[in-house]
Amino acid sequence: MTAMFSDDHFDFSDQDIRQAVAANRLLAIEIEFNYRCNYRCPYCYVGETSIEEIDSKLADDVIAAAAALGARKIVVLGGEPMLYSRLWEKLELINRLGMGAEIFTNASLIDAEVARRLGRLNCRVVLKLNSLDPAIQERLTGVPDALAKTMNAITLLQNHGFDQPGRLAASTVICADNYNGLIELWKWIRDRGILPYFEIMTPQGRMCEHAELNVEAPRLQKLFLELQRLDAERYGRHWEAQPPLVGGKCLRHLYSCLVNPRGDVMPCVGLNAVIGNVTTQPLAEILASSSLLNDLKSYRQKIKPPCRDCDRAESCYGCRGAAYQLTGDYLAADPMCWRNADLLSTITCLPCPAEPLIPHQPPIAMIDNVVSTGEVSHIRTTIRPDNRFLDADGRLDPEALLEITAQACAAFNTLRDNGSISPGMLAGATNLQFKHDAHVGDELDIAIRETAVIDKIHLVDFTIVRHPDCTPIAKGEIKLCLWDA
């Protein structure tokens, strides 16, 4: 069995990441094989969904594609992976292709036979352990006897090869319910040769219904610093405290992505902006063509202040999931980082007015708000009575939709470039389809996706619908020529 899992770090070394970025390859990929779960964790990022399992052939294709792109491990998420009907054959495929599997499980379904089978595989098992207090563990899982089940799983696994360093880990969310016991929990985990994986919760899924679980930034900082000191003094482990992971740092968007049961590809579970779907496009093409991932790989130039100006900015970009969930902007500074606690007023949240983001002035300015950013970004506008492109019946000239789209692109680019307006011009349009007329008073949603950049030429696909009934108005591709600001 390949000893690829280390207790020195949970993911990969800085050198591993630099080499992967230079070679434009993956180190890992996260796959949600299923969403079915027997626990009801109040902080679960998945929330409620009717989708249960990934198609088996699709799963095989994704695993093979990850191997071809250089991945060294597959992170198996859920739902509860042990409820996935074809888990064992997928784990064996992962190993046959030379990769390890990292399985996040709630531990409830691990018996002696499961532990034995896992022990024969090249895998790491990450168990849910939020507290040593049975009542708190039960509250944070939604089921009785959750702590006893995890403890039983630890014993079984360590009897079947998971006493080797780095093979067994414990996943813990930092929340108000368990906060006071986390120092002791860290020591308990370390003292038993288990790798701790403590993380700040991302505000999504069921967590949005449980604000009482939030921990304020100063208390997060206090905990991280106490654990930093403890790890150095008691265990000889040295690291810098930075969110969202205790004892580690998250730069996964440089070398990883996530595929869910529908085949949607996203940067990670927190930054759940869909960048493509493997049922319609090969994984390699999705990753290579993603403007969102390219932005994140250029994070030193793209991440916005105050994160950009932080003294940790060379090796940290905050939690992109928290930034996206709280602001709607995947490049925004992380509002949950304690270093930004006194600077929250400087972080722009979407929707935001478009007027300061474009060079146009009324009445030529024809867009109102930037609603969201992602691989596909959305801008909204209402057709006002003073619009110069209305005819006597209040119908908008279809050609004005191209100008509206160009302004939407200008607003997004300015937001992406932290307020720097680049001069440019609409240089052409192709594949135009005008479906329905737009009229005065209509609210329009303009969805834009940058598909290619060739020198100063940007190609952008667009779709315009009437909001909120989604009546199609127009679609096509425009060509923009942009100069540096």
Side-chain angles (χ1 to χ4, degrees), residues 371-394:
V371 176
S372 65
T373 68
E375 194 68 24
V376 178
S377 298
H378 291 264
I379 291 86
R380 297 248 175 95
T381 190
T382 298
I383 306 301
R384 296 184 294 270
D386 64 348
N387 191 296
R388 295 185 176 186
F389 299 93
L390 293 172
D391 65 16
D393 296 323

Side-chain angles (χ1 to χ4, degrees), residues 307-442:
C307 278
R308 180 189 291 186
D309 302 328
C310 177
D311 59 7
R312 300 284 173 81
E314 287 297 331
S315 61
C316 177
Y317 50 38
C319 177
R320 291 298 90 212
Y324 182 69
Q325 296 296 331
L326 290 171
T327 73
D329 180 1
Y330 62 89
L331 294 173
D334 179 1
M336 294 184 68
C337 177
W338 55 80
R339 291 168 171 262
N340 297 334
D342 295 330
L343 300 167
L344 295 181
S345 63
T346 69
I347 300 175
T348 298
C349 294
L350 303 184
C352 72
E355 183 179 356
L357 305 174
I358 59 176
H360 313 75
Q361 300 297 319
I364 297 302
M366 290 188 287
I367 59 172
D368 296 335
N369 296 294
V370 179
V371 176
S372 65
T373 68
E375 194 68 24
V376 178
S377 298
H378 291 264
I379 291 86
R380 297 248 175 95
T381 190
T382 298
I383 306 301
R384 296 184 294 270
D386 64 348
N387 191 296
R388 295 185 176 186
F389 299 93
L390 293 172
D391 65 16
D393 296 323
R395 184 182 70 93
L396 187 71
D397 186 333
E399 292 187 5
L401 296 171
L402 303 181
E403 175 61 26
I404 289 174
T405 302
Q407 291 183 22
C409 293
F412 168 71
N413 284 329
T414 299
L415 185 67
R416 181 167 60 175
D417 293 338
N418 194 36
S420 177
I421 298 178
S422 298
M425 61 178 290
L426 177 61
T430 58
N431 302 320
L432 298 178
Q433 299 179 40
F434 297 105
K435 301 286 190 177
H436 293 88
D437 290 334
H439 295 84
V440 65
D442 285 348

